[in-house]
Amino acid sequence: MSTEYDTGMVLSTSAGDSELERRVRDRLDEVEAGLARSVGSGSALVAQAARHLLEAGGKRFRPLLVLLAAELGDADADGVVPAALVVELTHLATLYHDDVMDEAALRRGAPSANARYDNSVAILTGDYLFARASEVVSHLGPEAVRLQAQTFSRLVEGQIAETQGPGAGEDPLQHYLQVVADKTGSLIATSALFGAWLAGAPRDQRDAVAAFGEQIGVAFQLSDDVIDVTSDSAALGKTPGTDLREGVATLPLLLVRRSADPATPALLDLLAADLSDDDALGRVLAALAEHPALAEARDFVRERADLARALLDPVPDGPAKRALDGLCDLVVTRTG
């Protein structure tokens, strides 16, 4: 079958192990087929809306984490592929909701669901995908259901915290990092834990890859923050600077605000302008590219990736560990 996920990520994490690459690709194909079945519906509109983001492709990073972590035990265990399906359905559901809240026009290079349909359809489609994920996870047993519920709670808490913003006296950067841990790191941690647990890996290794998953998840989101202000629309798959335009303070902006660099006041003035204007947004992005906060943001990504790498110490050396280690290199190099 033809797949739309980012096979380059599989190649980059295989660490030169052709057998591991083959196994992971084959299982990702199974996940992709499962996703196609899961978004089906007797309602033509629901089926069409649910397929919308699936057909736009994606990295399939969360299923990849499930499959790589499962290599620490019996990677052919019955629950591994369904767990990979659960985490990707959950992730897709959050994208529908995020695009409504962000009023995003593009997602993965295509019109967002809320732009193509409307907010109500996008929200309900996200709910539908959450329901499908819950149906799949119910077959994995009560412990899997509990883990999924706890993860969903963190996703919601992270979204609420992001919406509310930092409280009085709270460090905005630390607030943001906690939001990222809840909204992004939690599901990626669960992905790694699902894979290792369902494959029967030892407890210390399960704990290690779960902790690794949260940190590499945060690192990937922070790298996305950098890419959002440095890549063009075609490479990014969405409008660059969307978060700036919507007033969402991500890592580069937070670092600018606390910077004592002489260029900071002028950049803050640009940021205070009406960024719905494309020329104004372009000037901000150009100024950000020259500001030292961007290099500092890349250092943040590198530090998180190094922390994630260190958390893999309890995992024995082998193809799986080398592949997970490769993700740490990828998250740094993708920020340029």
Side-chain angles (χ1 to χ4, degrees):
M1 64 179 291
S2 174
T3 54
E4 298 294 332
Y5 52 78
D6 185 354
T7 55
M9 185 172 289
V10 180
L11 289 169
S12 69
T13 59
S14 65
D17 190 301
S18 59
E19 180 59 24
L20 173 65
E21 182 187 331
R22 182 194 62 77
R23 289 196 302 272
V24 171
R25 283 182 181 273
D26 287 348
R27 292 187 186 111
L28 280 173
D29 283 347
E30 292 182 50
V31 173
E32 205 69 22
L35 288 169
R37 291 191 298 270
S38 295
V39 300
S41 170
S43 163
L45 177 58
V46 172
Q48 183 185 59
R51 286 197 308 268
H52 181 66
L53 287 185
L54 179 64
E55 292 176 349
K59 302 179 186 71
R60 303 295 187 258
F61 182 53
R62 291 150 190 83
L64 177 63
L65 257 291
V66 174
L67 301 177
L68 289 177
E71 292 286 333
L72 300 177
D74 177 9
D76 293 321
D78 289 342
V80 171
V81 169
L85 179 58
V86 166
V87 296
E88 188 64 9
L89 283 171
T90 302
H91 173 58
L92 286 170
T94 66
L95 298 184
Y96 282 84
H97 289 176
D98 281 353
D99 283 347
V100 170
M101 299 192 73
D102 296 343
E103 299 180 359
L106 287 177
R107 169 68 70 174
R108 296 176 175 173
S112 63
N114 49 301
R116 179 171 176 178
Y117 304 101
D118 59 34
N119 284 347
S120 295
V121 170
I123 291 169
L124 292 170
T125 302
D127 292 346
Y128 177 73
L129 293 174
F130 276 126
R132 296 310 299 258
S134 297
E135 181 181 355
V136 176
V137 80
S138 70
H139 296 290
L140 299 178
E143 182 64 19
V145 172
R146 183 190 64 80
L147 178 57
Q148 175 73 354
Q150 289 179 336
T151 306
F152 187 40
S153 294
R154 283 192 67 188
L155 291 171
V156 173
E157 288 172 349
Q159 184 61 69
I160 291 172
E162 180 181 62
T163 303
Q164 287 184 321
E170 185 178 5
D171 179 10
L173 179 58
Q174 292 307 311
H175 172 86
Y176 178 67
L177 293 174
Q178 186 60 54
V179 166
V180 171
D182 289 337
K183 282 191 60 178
T184 302
S186 64
L187 185 56
I188 294 176
T190 294
S191 301
L193 179 55
F194 261 144
W197 167 53
L198 292 167
R203 179 60 181 268
D204 64 331
Q205 294 180 35
R206 300 200 309 259
D207 292 345
V209 294
F212 164 85
E214 177 138 348
Q215 294 303 324
I216 201 66
V218 171
F220 257 93
Q221 180 56 58
L222 298 182
S223 70
D224 277 349
D225 289 354
V226 174
I227 291 169
D228 181 59
V229 298
T230 58
S231 294
D232 60 28
S233 182
L236 189 60
K238 63 177 182 178
T239 306
T242 296
D243 288 327
L244 292 175
R245 177 167 273 167
E246 298 302 325
V248 178
T250 59
L251 181 64
L253 178 53
L254 290 167
L255 294 176
V256 167
R257 286 177 176 171
R258 72 178 198 175
S259 172
D261 188 83
T264 298
L267 178 52
L268 291 175
D269 285 343
L270 290 174
L271 286 161
D274 179 8
L275 298 185
S276 63
D277 177 77
D278 288 342
D279 289 339
L281 181 62
R283 287 190 290 272
V284 167
L285 293 174
L288 261 175
E290 301 298 324
H291 196 278
L294 195 59
E296 188 180 356
R298 289 191 172 103
D299 288 340
F300 253 83
V301 173
R302 187 176 299 105
E303 289 166 6
R304 284 284 175 158
D306 289 343
L307 175 58
R309 195 192 313 273
L311 290 167
L312 290 174
D313 283 349
V315 178
D317 191 28
K321 182 173 183 175
R322 290 193 292 274
L324 293 170
D325 190 86
L327 287 175
C328 300
D329 296 327
L330 176 64
V331 75
V332 174
T333 57
R334 70 196 288 262
T335 63

PDB file of all heavy atoms in Angstrom, residues 133-158:
ATOM      1  N   ALA A 133     -10.404   6.128  19.285  1.00  0.00           N
ATOM      2  CA  ALA A 133      -9.219   5.731  20.046  1.00  0.00           C
ATOM      3  C   ALA A 133      -9.628   4.987  21.314  1.00  0.00           C
ATOM      4  O   ALA A 133      -9.009   3.973  21.694  1.00  0.00           O
ATOM      5  CB  ALA A 133      -8.379   6.959  20.394  1.00  0.00           C
ATOM      6  N   SER A 134     -10.672   5.463  21.978  1.00  0.00           N
ATOM      7  CA  SER A 134     -11.144   4.814  23.206  1.00  0.00           C
ATOM      8  C   SER A 134     -11.651   3.410  22.920  1.00  0.00           C
ATOM      9  O   SER A 134     -11.458   2.488  23.720  1.00  0.00           O
ATOM     10  CB  SER A 134     -12.260   5.650  23.845  1.00  0.00           C
ATOM     11  OG  SER A 134     -11.771   6.920  24.225  1.00  0.00           O
ATOM     12  N   GLU A 135     -12.297   3.248  21.781  1.00  0.00           N
ATOM     13  CA  GLU A 135     -12.797   1.923  21.409  1.00  0.00           C
ATOM     14  C   GLU A 135     -11.643   0.941  21.213  1.00  0.00           C
ATOM     15  O   GLU A 135     -11.683  -0.190  21.685  1.00  0.00           O
ATOM     16  CB  GLU A 135     -13.624   2.023  20.130  1.00  0.00           C
ATOM     17  CG  GLU A 135     -14.213   0.701  19.671  1.00  0.00           C
ATOM     18  CD  GLU A 135     -15.005   0.830  18.382  1.00  0.00           C
ATOM     19  OE1 GLU A 135     -15.177   1.960  17.899  1.00  0.00           O
ATOM     20  OE2 GLU A 135     -15.445  -0.211  17.866  1.00  0.00           O
ATOM     21  N   VAL A 136     -10.604   1.386  20.537  1.00  0.00           N
ATOM     22  CA  VAL A 136      -9.452   0.508  20.296  1.00  0.00           C
ATOM     23  C   VAL A 136      -8.744   0.177  21.599  1.00  0.00           C
ATOM     24  O   VAL A 136      -8.407  -0.984  21.876  1.00  0.00           O
ATOM     25  CB  VAL A 136      -8.462   1.154  19.299  1.00  0.00           C
ATOM     26  CG1 VAL A 136      -7.227   0.270  19.135  1.00  0.00           C
ATOM     27  CG2 VAL A 136      -9.139   1.382  17.945  1.00  0.00           C
ATOM     28  N   VAL A 137      -8.531   1.184  22.459  1.00  0.00           N
ATOM     29  CA  VAL A 137      -7.777   0.944  23.691  1.00  0.00           C
ATOM     30  C   VAL A 137      -8.552   0.048  24.651  1.00  0.00           C
ATOM     31  O   VAL A 137      -7.951  -0.647  25.484  1.00  0.00           O
ATOM     32  CB  VAL A 137      -7.389   2.280  24.365  1.00  0.00           C
ATOM     33  CG1 VAL A 137      -8.538   2.884  25.154  1.00  0.00           C
ATOM     34  CG2 VAL A 137      -6.173   2.098  25.268  1.00  0.00           C
ATOM     35  N   SER A 138      -9.867   0.017  24.541  1.00  0.00           N
ATOM     36  CA  SER A 138     -10.663  -0.824  25.442  1.00  0.00           C
ATOM     37  C   SER A 138     -10.329  -2.297  25.277  1.00  0.00           C
ATOM     38  O   SER A 138     -10.506  -3.095  26.213  1.00  0.00           O
ATOM     39  CB  SER A 138     -12.159  -0.593  25.206  1.00  0.00           C
ATOM     40  OG  SER A 138     -12.574  -1.114  23.953  1.00  0.00           O
ATOM     41  N   HIS A 139      -9.834  -2.674  24.095  1.00  0.00           N
ATOM     42  CA  HIS A 139      -9.479  -4.078  23.848  1.00  0.00           C
ATOM     43  C   HIS A 139      -8.108  -4.434  24.418  1.00  0.00           C
ATOM     44  O   HIS A 139      -7.720  -5.608  24.398  1.00  0.00           O
ATOM     45  CB  HIS A 139      -9.501  -4.363  22.346  1.00  0.00           C
ATOM     46  CG  HIS A 139     -10.846  -4.213  21.717  1.00  0.00           C
ATOM     47  ND1 HIS A 139     -11.886  -5.093  21.955  1.00  0.00           N
ATOM     48  CD2 HIS A 139     -11.349  -3.260  20.888  1.00  0.00           C
ATOM     49  CE1 HIS A 139     -12.961  -4.710  21.279  1.00  0.00           C
ATOM     50  NE2 HIS A 139     -12.662  -3.593  20.635  1.00  0.00           N
ATOM     51  N   LEU A 140      -7.376  -3.436  24.905  1.00  0.00           N
ATOM     52  CA  LEU A 140      -6.045  -3.683  25.465  1.00  0.00           C
ATOM     53  C   LEU A 140      -6.076  -3.886  26.976  1.00  0.00           C
ATOM     54  O   LEU A 140      -5.033  -4.119  27.583  1.00  0.00           O
ATOM     55  CB  LEU A 140      -5.098  -2.530  25.106  1.00  0.00           C
ATOM     56  CG  LEU A 140      -4.872  -2.293  23.603  1.00  0.00           C
ATOM     57  CD1 LEU A 140      -3.962  -1.095  23.378  1.00  0.00           C
ATOM     58  CD2 LEU A 140      -4.310  -3.536  22.941  1.00  0.00           C
ATOM     59  N   GLY A 141      -7.239  -3.740  27.579  1.00  0.00           N
ATOM     60  CA  GLY A 141      -7.370  -4.025  29.005  1.00  0.00           C
ATOM     61  C   GLY A 141      -7.478  -2.790  29.871  1.00  0.00           C
ATOM     62  O   GLY A 141      -7.202  -1.667  29.419  1.00  0.00           O
ATOM     63  N   PRO A 142      -7.881  -2.993  31.136  1.00  0.00           N
ATOM     64  CA  PRO A 142      -8.120  -1.860  32.044  1.00  0.00           C
ATOM     65  C   PRO A 142      -6.903  -0.977  32.275  1.00  0.00           C
ATOM     66  O   PRO A 142      -7.040   0.240  32.400  1.00  0.00           O
ATOM     67  CB  PRO A 142      -8.550  -2.547  33.351  1.00  0.00           C
ATOM     68  CG  PRO A 142      -9.037  -3.888  32.937  1.00  0.00           C
ATOM     69  CD  PRO A 142      -8.233  -4.277  31.747  1.00  0.00           C
ATOM     70  N   GLU A 143      -5.719  -1.574  32.357  1.00  0.00           N
ATOM     71  CA  GLU A 143      -4.520  -0.769  32.599  1.00  0.00           C
ATOM     72  C   GLU A 143      -4.253   0.173  31.430  1.00  0.00           C
ATOM     73  O   GLU A 143      -3.864   1.331  31.616  1.00  0.00           O
ATOM     74  CB  GLU A 143      -3.313  -1.670  32.834  1.00  0.00           C
ATOM     75  CG  GLU A 143      -2.017  -0.936  33.147  1.00  0.00           C
ATOM     76  CD  GLU A 143      -2.078  -0.148  34.441  1.00  0.00           C
ATOM     77  OE1 GLU A 143      -2.951  -0.411  35.292  1.00  0.00           O
ATOM     78  OE2 GLU A 143      -1.238   0.760  34.603  1.00  0.00           O
ATOM     79  N   ALA A 144      -4.484  -0.313  30.209  1.00  0.00           N
ATOM     80  CA  ALA A 144      -4.296   0.530  29.035  1.00  0.00           C
ATOM     81  C   ALA A 144      -5.334   1.657  29.014  1.00  0.00           C
ATOM     82  O   ALA A 144      -5.014   2.800  28.667  1.00  0.00           O
ATOM     83  CB  ALA A 144      -4.406  -0.306  27.760  1.00  0.00           C
ATOM     84  N   VAL A 145      -6.559   1.339  29.397  1.00  0.00           N
ATOM     85  CA  VAL A 145      -7.610   2.360  29.455  1.00  0.00           C
ATOM     86  C   VAL A 145      -7.242   3.426  30.484  1.00  0.00           C
ATOM     87  O   VAL A 145      -7.406   4.632  30.240  1.00  0.00           O
ATOM     88  CB  VAL A 145      -8.970   1.719  29.795  1.00  0.00           C
ATOM     89  CG1 VAL A 145     -10.023   2.795  30.052  1.00  0.00           C
ATOM     90  CG2 VAL A 145      -9.417   0.798  28.667  1.00  0.00           C
ATOM     91  N   ARG A 146      -6.743   2.985  31.643  1.00  0.00           N
ATOM     92  CA  ARG A 146      -6.345   3.930  32.685  1.00  0.00           C
ATOM     93  C   ARG A 146      -5.227   4.843  32.190  1.00  0.00           C
ATOM     94  O   ARG A 146      -5.267   6.069  32.396  1.00  0.00           O
ATOM     95  CB  ARG A 146      -5.876   3.172  33.930  1.00  0.00           C
ATOM     96  CG  ARG A 146      -5.494   4.081  35.113  1.00  0.00           C
ATOM     97  CD  ARG A 146      -4.807   3.288  36.217  1.00  0.00           C
ATOM     98  NE  ARG A 146      -3.539   2.730  35.762  1.00  0.00           N
ATOM     99  CZ  ARG A 146      -2.408   3.428  35.687  1.00  0.00           C
ATOM    100  NH1 ARG A 146      -2.389   4.717  36.027  1.00  0.00           N
ATOM    101  NH2 ARG A 146      -1.292   2.859  35.270  1.00  0.00           N
ATOM    102  N   LEU A 147      -4.232   4.267  31.518  1.00  0.00           N
ATOM    103  CA  LEU A 147      -3.112   5.062  31.012  1.00  0.00           C
ATOM    104  C   LEU A 147      -3.591   6.069  29.974  1.00  0.00           C
ATOM    105  O   LEU A 147      -3.182   7.238  29.986  1.00  0.00           O
ATOM    106  CB  LEU A 147      -2.051   4.135  30.406  1.00  0.00           C
ATOM    107  CG  LEU A 147      -0.829   4.793  29.775  1.00  0.00           C
ATOM    108  CD1 LEU A 147      -0.102   5.681  30.770  1.00  0.00           C
ATOM    109  CD2 LEU A 147       0.120   3.731  29.212  1.00  0.00           C
ATOM    110  N   GLN A 148      -4.483   5.651  29.089  1.00  0.00           N
ATOM    111  CA  GLN A 148      -5.020   6.557  28.092  1.00  0.00           C
ATOM    112  C   GLN A 148      -5.812   7.688  28.751  1.00  0.00           C
ATOM    113  O   GLN A 148      -5.703   8.859  28.352  1.00  0.00           O
ATOM    114  CB  GLN A 148      -5.906   5.780  27.111  1.00  0.00           C
ATOM    115  CG  GLN A 148      -6.628   6.630  26.077  1.00  0.00           C
ATOM    116  CD  GLN A 148      -5.696   7.174  25.001  1.00  0.00           C
ATOM    117  OE1 GLN A 148      -4.477   7.015  25.071  1.00  0.00           O
ATOM    118  NE2 GLN A 148      -6.267   7.815  24.004  1.00  0.00           N
ATOM    119  N   ALA A 149      -6.597   7.357  29.777  1.00  0.00           N
ATOM    120  CA  ALA A 149      -7.397   8.378  30.463  1.00  0.00           C
ATOM    121  C   ALA A 149      -6.500   9.390  31.165  1.00  0.00           C
ATOM    122  O   ALA A 149      -6.761  10.605  31.131  1.00  0.00           O
ATOM    123  CB  ALA A 149      -8.342   7.715  31.466  1.00  0.00           C
ATOM    124  N   GLN A 150      -5.444   8.911  31.823  1.00  0.00           N
ATOM    125  CA  GLN A 150      -4.518   9.817  32.500  1.00  0.00           C
ATOM    126  C   GLN A 150      -3.829  10.745  31.487  1.00  0.00           C
ATOM    127  O   GLN A 150      -3.631  11.934  31.760  1.00  0.00           O
ATOM    128  CB  GLN A 150      -3.474   9.010  33.265  1.00  0.00           C
ATOM    129  CG  GLN A 150      -4.019   8.307  34.498  1.00  0.00           C
ATOM    130  CD  GLN A 150      -2.955   7.504  35.211  1.00  0.00           C
ATOM    131  OE1 GLN A 150      -1.959   7.091  34.601  1.00  0.00           O
ATOM    132  NE2 GLN A 150      -3.162   7.246  36.492  1.00  0.00           N
ATOM    133  N   THR A 151      -3.477  10.187  30.347  1.00  0.00           N
ATOM    134  CA  THR A 151      -2.830  10.990  29.315  1.00  0.00           C
ATOM    135  C   THR A 151      -3.786  12.041  28.780  1.00  0.00           C
ATOM    136  O   THR A 151      -3.407  13.213  28.593  1.00  0.00           O
ATOM    137  CB  THR A 151      -2.350  10.091  28.159  1.00  0.00           C
ATOM    138  OG1 THR A 151      -1.518   9.052  28.685  1.00  0.00           O
ATOM    139  CG2 THR A 151      -1.570  10.886  27.129  1.00  0.00           C
ATOM    140  N   PHE A 152      -5.027  11.638  28.552  1.00  0.00           N
ATOM    141  CA  PHE A 152      -6.029  12.577  28.054  1.00  0.00           C
ATOM    142  C   PHE A 152      -6.238  13.713  29.055  1.00  0.00           C
ATOM    143  O   PHE A 152      -6.385  14.879  28.665  1.00  0.00           O
ATOM    144  CB  PHE A 152      -7.336  11.823  27.794  1.00  0.00           C
ATOM    145  CG  PHE A 152      -8.395  12.645  27.115  1.00  0.00           C
ATOM    146  CD1 PHE A 152      -8.078  13.524  26.090  1.00  0.00           C
ATOM    147  CD2 PHE A 152      -9.720  12.530  27.477  1.00  0.00           C
ATOM    148  CE1 PHE A 152      -9.050  14.278  25.450  1.00  0.00           C
ATOM    149  CE2 PHE A 152     -10.712  13.278  26.861  1.00  0.00           C
ATOM    150  CZ  PHE A 152     -10.368  14.147  25.840  1.00  0.00           C
ATOM    151  N   SER A 153      -6.214  13.394  30.350  1.00  0.00           N
ATOM    152  CA  SER A 153      -6.351  14.427  31.377  1.00  0.00           C
ATOM    153  C   SER A 153      -5.230  15.452  31.270  1.00  0.00           C
ATOM    154  O   SER A 153      -5.465  16.668  31.356  1.00  0.00           O
ATOM    155  CB  SER A 153      -6.346  13.800  32.777  1.00  0.00           C
ATOM    156  OG  SER A 153      -7.483  12.996  32.984  1.00  0.00           O
ATOM    157  N   ARG A 154      -4.010  14.974  31.067  1.00  0.00           N
ATOM    158  CA  ARG A 154      -2.888  15.900  30.941  1.00  0.00           C
ATOM    159  C   ARG A 154      -3.005  16.751  29.679  1.00  0.00           C
ATOM    160  O   ARG A 154      -2.657  17.948  29.686  1.00  0.00           O
ATOM    161  CB  ARG A 154      -1.554  15.142  30.934  1.00  0.00           C
ATOM    162  CG  ARG A 154      -1.109  14.662  32.296  1.00  0.00           C
ATOM    163  CD  ARG A 154       0.337  14.188  32.261  1.00  0.00           C
ATOM    164  NE  ARG A 154       1.274  15.282  32.017  1.00  0.00           N
ATOM    165  CZ  ARG A 154       2.575  15.119  31.784  1.00  0.00           C
ATOM    166  NH1 ARG A 154       3.086  13.893  31.744  1.00  0.00           N
ATOM    167  NH2 ARG A 154       3.365  16.153  31.582  1.00  0.00           N
ATOM    168  N   LEU A 155      -3.463  16.154  28.593  1.00  0.00           N
ATOM    169  CA  LEU A 155      -3.648  16.923  27.366  1.00  0.00           C
ATOM    170  C   LEU A 155      -4.616  18.083  27.587  1.00  0.00           C
ATOM    171  O   LEU A 155      -4.357  19.216  27.169  1.00  0.00           O
ATOM    172  CB  LEU A 155      -4.186  16.010  26.259  1.00  0.00           C
ATOM    173  CG  LEU A 155      -3.244  14.931  25.703  1.00  0.00           C
ATOM    174  CD1 LEU A 155      -4.008  13.994  24.778  1.00  0.00           C
ATOM    175  CD2 LEU A 155      -2.076  15.558  24.966  1.00  0.00           C
ATOM    176  N   VAL A 156      -5.713  17.784  28.271  1.00  0.00           N
ATOM    177  CA  VAL A 156      -6.715  18.823  28.523  1.00  0.00           C
ATOM    178  C   VAL A 156      -6.168  19.874  29.490  1.00  0.00           C
ATOM    179  O   VAL A 156      -6.348  21.087  29.290  1.00  0.00           O
ATOM    180  CB  VAL A 156      -8.009  18.196  29.072  1.00  0.00           C
ATOM    181  CG1 VAL A 156      -8.997  19.275  29.500  1.00  0.00           C
ATOM    182  CG2 VAL A 156      -8.641  17.282  28.027  1.00  0.00           C
ATOM    183  N   GLU A 157      -5.499  19.431  30.549  1.00  0.00           N
ATOM    184  CA  GLU A 157      -4.919  20.377  31.503  1.00  0.00           C
ATOM    185  C   GLU A 157      -3.916  21.299  30.817  1.00  0.00           C
ATOM    186  O   GLU A 157      -3.867  22.510  31.101  1.00  0.00           O
ATOM    187  CB  GLU A 157      -4.246  19.624  32.646  1.00  0.00           C
ATOM    188  CG  GLU A 157      -5.225  18.959  33.597  1.00  0.00           C
ATOM    189  CD  GLU A 157      -4.541  18.059  34.608  1.00  0.00           C
ATOM    190  OE1 GLU A 157      -3.324  17.784  34.450  1.00  0.00           O
ATOM    191  OE2 GLU A 157      -5.209  17.621  35.553  1.00  0.00           O
ATOM    192  N   GLY A 158      -3.115  20.734  29.914  1.00  0.00           N
ATOM    193  CA  GLY A 158      -2.147  21.546  29.190  1.00  0.00           C
ATOM    194  C   GLY A 158      -2.814  22.575  28.306  1.00  0.00           C
ATOM    195  O   GLY A 158      -2.376  23.725  28.228  1.00  0.00           O
TER     196      GLY A 158
END
